[in-house]
């Protein structure tokens, strides 16, 4: 059987079976090649119809052999190699060969693991670490003298699931709709066999892919406040965002007697009580505090912004902080204009954006316009919290891969933390909506255009802003906050060149940064 | 006659009853740690009403070395020291530090700030929901509650 491997020139590592033929890659699965079984081919396994009985027998033998060897597998895990299981017949052959403990004179050298590198999608939900894979085919030849044990990944369905997701995404990118359709159905089945985070993520991604394939787009992408409140309660991401930005704003307002905060996305106003309290307790007493809250029009036409405002006003009264509030309804931040904001001479202004800036990337020129308005406002500080991921790449497949990894990690963290089930379920719906938007929408509808911290850094720097380093106070508060969460071991705060990042295990998920207008250039006479 | 009177007075003086001297009682209760204060509340009706109603007993428990007048004003406005202790301080301390040392250690500024911030959010949430009982946690602080292993 032909097993030429096509390493994608762009260096993309993909989960993929080796294509039996040529450079067109994976879309050739559909064609019958040498009597391959079609159904298995769709899922990624190449078996000749005539070989089916033999393959079944080999599987049984392998099963027996593995039961006996199970205990010694962990000892040898450092020397393990992955063989490509999509070519089932030969794979079984080599597996049985190794289990029979013959001297490995003639192991199938062609079965390099390089194309089947699970590290393409790191993250515990999918790839259970601990097995090293070799990416250099040459190494296999020198291994003759050492005994190798092949470790089979017990989560075979999980691999197949991810494999199918990637195949489907690629089919969608190549506009190969029949294949995509078949794969989406497979994914649905495979997802049911999983448990926990992987199952939920796969289901959401499958739904999003299906929407894209069948052109059934969600009516409107609105992350309702209720959903966000549940997300706030179930995991530390939003709290981290609020605590770190509040600390930065507090430090920026040191010594000022009249302050004005403009919040680009006020939601329920959960961020501001803590800031008001910190201002109330600072030496010298609280400043006069003014808040401008911006938000989208409410679905039920209620004056939601005003309700939030009166609640905040009530709070401010209890702690004796002079408080003033204005709410602005805006469909998009570009509708904002300096004249609407009633800026006053003796006030220091802080601008705050939590997960709002990335939505502007859907419209060309929007970010630049908003940043120019920000420059006109001349704030003391602009605090920005964004997701740390690139979900705005040009290629659909890249976006898909990135977001799969990102949301797997997020769902993982939700899974491990002990939260009340309703909060957890709502948070998952909240994230599911984001997934749907990233995967199935395009153009102006695709508002979840997350970009990494470095990308934002470039944008802000070239727009005339310079970074304010978040101090150690913010870091300590954030660390302490995370220590309170019962799943706390997994969350990590990191400092990244003056910005703070919150991540789950090794993966950074959100980033907070603070900006000010870059020093004006000296005017020479 | 004089001797009897004298003996009577002595008897009276030796029968010192703490419940007759509430100010001394308060001073003593102030210095107790959380669990002991809870136990004290079960002793008798007087002690129970003191622990329940006198918020200053809980103040020392919360910010033993850091309390100032301004902090007090804020805490009282947001719901009182007893609630602060129940919903914030006790869970925060138990999560952040070993329990034996917890009773004697001094608070750091950051811990104070963190607890106050969480307390604020809790208080803000209760503004909208009048029906939450005074000792129950709001949902924003649920993450501090101990989970029950099913």
């Amino acid at each position: 059987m032909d097993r030429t491997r096509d390493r994608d020139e762009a260096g993309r590592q993909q989960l993929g079976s080796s294509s039996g033929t040529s450079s067109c890659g994976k879309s050739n699965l559909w064609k019958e090649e040498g009597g391959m079984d079609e159904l298995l081919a769709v899922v990624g396994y190449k078996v000749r119809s005539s070989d089916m009985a033999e393959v079944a027998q080999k599987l049984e033998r392998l099963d027996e052999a593995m039961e006996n060897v199970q205990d010694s597998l962990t000892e040898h895990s450092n020397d393990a190699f992955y063989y490509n299981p999509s070519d089932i017949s030969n794979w079984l052959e080599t597996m049985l060969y190794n289990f029979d403990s013959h001297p490995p004179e003639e192991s199938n050298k062609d079965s390099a693991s390089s194309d089947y590198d699970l590290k393409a999608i790191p993250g515990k939900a999918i790839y259970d670490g601990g097995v090293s894979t070799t990416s250099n085919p040459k190494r296999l030849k020198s291994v003759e003298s050492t005994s190798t044990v092949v470790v089979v990944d017990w989560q075979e369905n999980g691999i197949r699931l991810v494999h199918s997701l990637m195949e489907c995404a690629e089919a969608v990118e190549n506009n190969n709709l029949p294949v995509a359709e078949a794969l989406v159905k497979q994914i649905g089945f495979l997802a049911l066999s999983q448990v926990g985070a992987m199952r939920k993520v796969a289901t959401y991604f499958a739904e999003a892919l299906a929407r894209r394939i069948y052109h059934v787009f969600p009516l409107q992408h609105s992350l309702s406040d209720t959903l966000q409140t549940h997300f706030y309660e179930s995991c530390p991401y939003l709290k981290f965002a609020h605590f770190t930005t509040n600390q930065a704003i507090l430090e920026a307002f040191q010594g000022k007697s009249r302050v004005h905060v403009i919040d680009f996305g006020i939601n329920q106003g959960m961020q501001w009580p803590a800031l008001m309290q910190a201002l109330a307790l600072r030496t010298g007493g609280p400043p006069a505090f003014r808040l401008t809250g911006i938000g989208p029009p409410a679905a039920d036409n209620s004056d939601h912004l005003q309700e939030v405002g009166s609640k905040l006003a009530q709070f401010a009264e209890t702690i004796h902080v002079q408080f003033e509030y204005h709410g602005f309804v805006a469909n998009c931040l570009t509708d904002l204009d300096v004249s609407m904001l009633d800026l006053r001479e003796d006030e220091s202004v802080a601008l705050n954006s939590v997960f709002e800036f990335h939505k502007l990337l859907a419209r060309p020129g929007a970010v630049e316009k908003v940043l120019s308005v920000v420059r006109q406002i001349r704030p003391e500080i602009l605090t920005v919290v964004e997701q740390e991921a690139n979900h705005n790449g040009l290629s659909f497949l890249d976006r898909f891969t990135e977001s799969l990894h990102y949301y797997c990690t997020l769902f993982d963290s939700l899974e491990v933390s002990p939260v009340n089930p309703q909060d957890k379920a709502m948070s998952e719906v909240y994230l599911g909506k984001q997934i749907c938007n990233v995967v199935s929408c395009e153009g102006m509808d695709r508002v979840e255009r997350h970009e990494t911290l470095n990308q934002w850094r470039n944008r802000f720097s070239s727009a005339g802003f310079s970074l304010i380093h978040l101090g150690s106070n913010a870091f300590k508060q954030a660390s302490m906050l995370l220590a309170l969460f019962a799943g706390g071991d997994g969350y990590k705060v990191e400092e990244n060149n003056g910005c703070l990042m919150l991540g789950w295990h090794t993966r950074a998920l959100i980033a907070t940064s603070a900006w000010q207008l870059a020093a004006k250039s000296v005017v020479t006479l | 006659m004089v001797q009897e009177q004298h003996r009577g007075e002595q008897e009276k003086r030796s029968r010192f009853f703490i419940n007759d001297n509430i100010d001394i009682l308060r001073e003593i209760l102030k210095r107790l740690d959380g669990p002991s204060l809870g136990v004290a509340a079960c002793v008798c009706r007087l002690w129970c009403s003191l622990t329940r109603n006198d918020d200053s007993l809980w103040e020392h428990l919360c910010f033993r070395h850091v309390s100032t007048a301004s902090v007090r004003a804020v805490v009282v406005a947001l719901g009182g020291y007893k609630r602060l202790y129940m919903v914030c301080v006790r869970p925060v301390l138990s999560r952040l530090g070993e329990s034996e040392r917890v009773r004697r250690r001094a608070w750091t500024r950051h811990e104070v700030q963190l607890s106050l911030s969480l307390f604020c959010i809790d208080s803000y949430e209760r503004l909208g929901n009048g029906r939450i009982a005074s000792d129950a946690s709001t949902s924003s602080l649920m993450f501090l509650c101990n989970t029950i292993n099913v």
Side-chain angles (χ1 to χ4, degrees):
Chain A
M1 213 165 302
D2 197 78
R3 256 176 288 124
T4 48
R5 227 147 249 69
D6 256 0
R7 204 62 206 269
D8 192 301
E9 280 316 299
R12 270 189 323 195
Q13 285 188 334
Q14 290 179 28
L15 281 181
S17 60
S18 64
S19 163
T21 51
S22 57
S23 48
C24 315
K26 322 297 184 264
S27 47
N28 280 328
L29 274 180
W30 263 131
K31 307 214 175 87
E32 277 221 357
E33 292 166 20
M36 303 278 183
D37 183 84
E38 256 185 56
L39 291 175
L40 282 177
V42 168
V43 197
Y45 290 91
K46 297 195 305 203
V47 189
R48 281 213 189 87
S49 312
S50 47
D51 282 350
M52 294 280 258
E54 203 185 299
V55 167
Q57 273 181 8
K58 286 186 196 168
L59 278 170
E60 271 180 30
R61 279 170 53 202
L62 185 58
D63 211 12
E64 279 174 33
M66 288 204 291
E67 272 172 23
N68 300 333
V69 188
Q70 202 163 349
D71 294 324
S72 62
L73 285 178
T74 45
E75 296 168 17
H76 297 290
S77 57
N78 285 333
D79 290 342
F81 298 96
Y82 267 100
Y83 289 80
N84 188 342
S86 68
D87 185 4
I88 277 200
S89 194
N90 279 294
W91 179 76
L92 283 169
E93 203 55 63
T94 52
M95 293 279 281
L96 286 168
Y97 193 79
N98 280 295
F99 273 109
D100 288 347
S101 306
H102 286 167
E105 346 162 302
E106 221 196 286
S107 48
N108 272 318
K109 304 291 193 313
D110 280 323
S111 301
S113 63
S114 44
D115 261 325
Y116 210 82
D117 197 334
L118 284 176
K119 286 190 191 140
I121 301 210
K124 286 194 178 172
I126 302 166
Y127 172 57
D128 216 351
V131 180
S132 60
T133 59
T134 173
S135 53
N136 185 355
K138 286 192 194 143
R139 192 176 157 205
L140 279 172
K141 295 195 179 116
S142 64
V143 170
E144 256 147 326
S145 49
T146 59
S147 62
T148 61
V149 174
V150 173
V151 174
V152 176
D153 193 321
W154 304 106
Q155 299 172 325
E156 219 177 291
N157 268 349
I159 303 176
R160 266 193 272 166
L161 178 57
V162 179
H163 175 176
S164 309
L165 279 166
M166 301 299 295
E167 291 275 318
C168 188
E170 193 171 356
V172 169
E173 184 175 48
N174 296 333
N175 222 3
N176 191 341
L177 294 183
V179 176
E181 254 181 87
L183 283 169
V184 151
K185 290 175 192 156
Q186 284 296 323
I187 293 169
F189 270 123
L190 289 170
L192 291 176
S193 71
Q194 295 293 296
V195 289
M198 190 58 209
R199 176 190 182 125
K200 294 171 197 173
V201 173
T203 317
Y204 280 118
F205 272 92
E207 184 198 324
L209 279 169
R211 282 183 182 277
R212 197 180 176 103
I213 294 168
Y214 297 115
H215 296 286
V216 180
F217 301 113
L219 281 171
Q220 193 196 32
H221 176 66
S222 63
L223 295 173
S224 81
D225 278 349
T226 337
L227 288 182
Q228 196 175 62
T229 312
H230 285 283
F231 184 65
Y232 179 85
E233 282 152 20
S234 65
C235 48
Y237 303 105
L238 278 177
K239 288 195 182 76
F240 170 84
H242 292 175
F243 275 54
T244 45
T245 49
N246 282 346
Q247 187 62 35
I249 296 175
L250 185 66
E251 286 167 12
F253 278 166
Q254 206 168 22
K256 311 281 191 252
S257 58
R258 307 191 70 84
V259 302
H260 181 192
V261 174
I262 303 175
D263 189 354
F264 279 168
I266 185 128
N267 293 303
Q268 292 288 329
M270 298 288 270
Q271 181 170 355
W272 307 114
L275 180 64
M276 286 198 265
Q277 168 261 310
L279 287 170
L281 287 179
R282 69 174 191 177
T283 49
F289 184 80
R290 193 151 78 95
L291 177 66
T292 301
I294 300 171
D300 54 355
N301 273 335
S302 64
D303 200 354
H304 155 74
L305 292 182
Q306 217 41 49
E307 283 168 27
V308 172
S310 32
K311 214 168 141 191
L312 284 168
Q314 205 182 339
F315 180 84
E317 206 185 304
T318 57
I319 57 171
H320 308 298
V321 172
Q322 189 186 339
F323 181 74
E324 204 185 314
Y325 175 84
H326 287 281
F328 279 116
V329 169
N331 268 310
C332 178
L333 288 174
T334 47
D335 297 340
L336 210 60
D337 190 63
V338 179
S339 53
M340 298 157 69
L341 293 170
D342 183 23
L343 299 174
R344 298 172 196 171
E345 274 299 310
D346 51 349
E347 266 180 353
S348 307
V349 182
L351 280 155
N352 180 68
S353 151
V354 174
F355 300 143
E356 294 292 333
F357 257 104
H358 63 259
K359 299 179 188 167
L360 295 173
L361 295 174
R363 299 179 186 211
V367 176
E368 289 76 20
K369 174 158 192 285
V370 171
L371 286 178
S372 75
V373 171
V374 171
R375 278 198 299 271
Q376 288 173 45
I377 296 175
R378 309 193 64 76
E380 291 292 319
I381 186 170
L382 161 70
T383 50
V384 177
V385 181
E386 284 292 330
Q387 290 94 340
E388 172 63 8
N390 185 359
H391 297 158
N392 199 18
L394 290 173
S395 136
F396 171 74
L397 190 55
D398 285 342
R399 293 201 298 270
F400 187 86
T401 319
E402 277 290 315
S403 54
L404 186 59
H405 181 186
Y406 183 82
Y407 285 101
C408 275
T409 317
L410 259 184
F411 271 77
D412 247 0
S413 72
L414 268 183
E415 200 68 24
V416 170
S417 328
V419 282
N420 106 48
Q422 198 205 6
D423 276 342
K424 187 156 115 171
M426 293 298 218
S427 309
E428 287 161 4
V429 173
Y430 175 82
L431 294 173
K433 284 197 167 192
Q434 290 182 4
I435 294 173
C436 196
N437 191 269
V438 174
V439 172
S440 68
C441 298
E442 280 305 332
M444 298 247 289
D445 290 330
R446 179 158 64 89
V447 291
E448 297 293 340
R449 293 181 183 245
H450 310 151
E451 286 196 346
T452 61
L453 178 63
N454 287 331
Q455 286 170 292
W456 287 112
R457 258 199 254 257
N458 289 335
R459 266 184 220 278
F460 287 127
S461 307
S462 49
F465 292 89
S466 67
L467 189 69
I468 303 177
H469 282 235
L470 296 170
S472 60
N473 286 330
F475 185 89
K476 283 183 197 150
Q477 283 244 332
S479 312
M480 216 179 285
L481 174 71
L482 293 177
L484 294 178
F485 276 82
D489 294 338
Y491 296 111
K492 297 263 179 321
V493 187
E494 254 178 45
E495 195 263 351
N496 181 326
N497 283 332
C499 305
L500 286 181
M501 292 204 184
L502 172 60
W504 175 254
H505 289 116
T506 50
R507 166 79 206 225
L509 293 171
I510 67 175
T512 306
S513 55
W515 301 87
Q516 63 188 348
L517 289 171
K520 282 191 291 206
S521 51
V522 177
V523 176
T524 53
L525 293 167
Chain B
M1 261 321 213
V2 176
Q3 268 186 342
E4 273 184 30
Q5 219 178 4
H6 192 56
R7 222 179 296 130
E9 273 176 53
Q10 272 187 329
E11 279 178 28
K12 245 194 241 171
R13 246 179 282 140
S14 60
R15 244 184 279 138
F16 172 84
F17 190 32
I18 186 73
N19 280 5
D20 291 335
N21 300 276
I22 296 191
D23 47 344
I24 301 182
L25 178 58
R26 264 210 197 95
E27 287 299 314
I28 297 173
L29 288 177
K30 255 193 225 177
R31 286 156 173 77
L32 290 180
D33 60 293
S36 306
L37 206 49
V39 168
C42 304
V43 167
C44 65
R45 262 190 284 238
L46 175 65
W47 288 35
C48 181
S49 80
L50 266 182
T51 49
R52 199 166 285 200
N53 301 324
D54 190 348
D55 209 39
S56 63
L57 291 181
W58 299 88
E59 174 180 347
H60 281 247
L61 194 56
C62 290
F63 295 149
R64 203 170 287 259
H65 304 279
V66 199
S67 193
T68 63
S70 50
V71 173
R72 192 176 305 137
V74 168
V75 174
V76 166
L78 293 177
Y81 278 101
K82 180 157 174 260
R83 186 180 170 82
L84 174 62
Y85 180 74
M86 290 300 196
V87 302
C88 286
V89 170
R90 187 175 57 165
V92 166
L93 284 184
S94 70
R95 291 270 171 99
L96 289 184
E98 308 94 34
S99 48
E100 317 83 55
R101 280 177 40 206
V102 150
R103 297 169 195 182
R104 259 158 275 128
R105 68 210 276 286
W107 280 74
T108 64
R109 189 169 47 94
H110 291 291
E111 286 162 341
V112 171
Q113 189 49 50
L114 183 66
S115 299
L116 284 175
S117 300
L118 292 172
F119 194 49
C120 276
I121 299 171
D122 166 77
S123 166
Y124 176 69
E125 220 180 310
R126 278 187 307 137
L127 280 180
N129 294 335
R131 53 185 162 71
I132 294 186
S134 61
D135 278 348
S137 273
T138 49
S139 40
S140 66
L141 292 184
M142 275 302 182
F143 74 99
L144 286 176
C145 296
N146 281 323
T147 52
I148 305 169
N149 279 326
V150 183

